[in-house]
Amino acid sequence: MMKMKEWENSVVTRFLELLTAQVLHSTSGAPCWLQFHILDLYMTELAAVGSAELTAAQNLTFIDPFCKTASKTKDRILLKAICGSIFSAILDQAPFIIEDLLKEVNATGGGSEEPDSGQASEEEEEGERRKRKRSLLRAKNLL
């Protein structure tokens, strides 16, 4: 559905809100088996449907509900399932993700002809790299 709607932000946002409220949130009442089933399929399906079309930022949007749930949940079983399904998939794909991200940055004009904006761009990229590295390390530590 989201692919047919060309990954329209409002459709993606609504899907993620429903996923969070109806499946991931502790008060949703969703059975554990359903949560685990979705965790098992989520990254595989996301890669199959959108890997060639989604940007790095869009991919982060799709895993954000799991990151938020992992940071807030008191359910250790759910936390372990999120780490095992979502974060381990990210770590397994890290070399490919970095390569694709670099291609994306270069394709969108990562370099600039103006020296001042080039320097700011490099500083921003370095800050983003540090954030990603910290996030990956945190995710790895959760495993």
Side-chain angles (χ1 to χ4, degrees):
M1 177 64 131
M2 289 181 279
K3 185 175 180 177
M4 289 188 310
K5 296 280 187 177
E6 297 179 4
W7 307 102
E8 185 180 311
N9 280 340
S10 63
V11 175
V12 171
T13 300
R14 183 67 183 138
F15 165 75
L16 295 175
E17 287 171 354
L18 287 170
L19 174 69
T20 302
Q22 300 299 319
V23 178
L24 297 175
H25 199 270
S26 61
T27 61
S28 71
C32 292
W33 64 264
L34 178 60
Q35 291 174 326
F36 300 152
H37 180 68
I38 289 172
L39 287 169
D40 285 342
L41 297 175
Y42 193 82
M43 293 299 282
T44 304
E45 290 298 317
L46 184 60
V49 174
S51 63
E53 298 175 21
L54 297 176
T55 65
Q58 287 171 313
N59 277 304
L60 288 174
T61 300
F62 276 101
I63 64 166
D64 187 58
F66 297 99
C67 297
K68 287 179 180 175
T69 299
S71 71
K72 294 178 183 178
T73 189
K74 292 182 171 115
D75 183 343
R76 298 196 53 76
I77 296 170
L78 179 59
L79 174 63
K80 188 171 182 172
I82 290 171
C83 292
S85 296
I86 304 297
F87 296 143
S88 66
I90 293 168
L91 292 174
D92 289 345
Q93 296 297 316
F96 308 110
I97 293 168
I98 293 169
E99 183 179 318
D100 290 346
L101 183 60
L102 290 173
K103 287 177 186 175
E104 189 177 311
V105 167
N106 290 334
T108 59
S112 178
E113 295 178 11
E114 298 176 329
D116 290 342
S117 66
Q119 183 180 5
S121 176
E122 288 175 21
E123 290 171 3
E124 289 171 2
E125 286 179 26
E126 183 61 31
E128 287 297 316
R129 270 190 233 112
R130 286 185 191 145
K131 281 184 193 175
R132 275 187 242 110
K133 187 175 180 180
R134 281 193 302 266
S135 296
L136 285 173
L137 288 173
R138 275 190 234 124
K140 190 174 181 181
N141 288 334
L142 289 173
L143 298 174

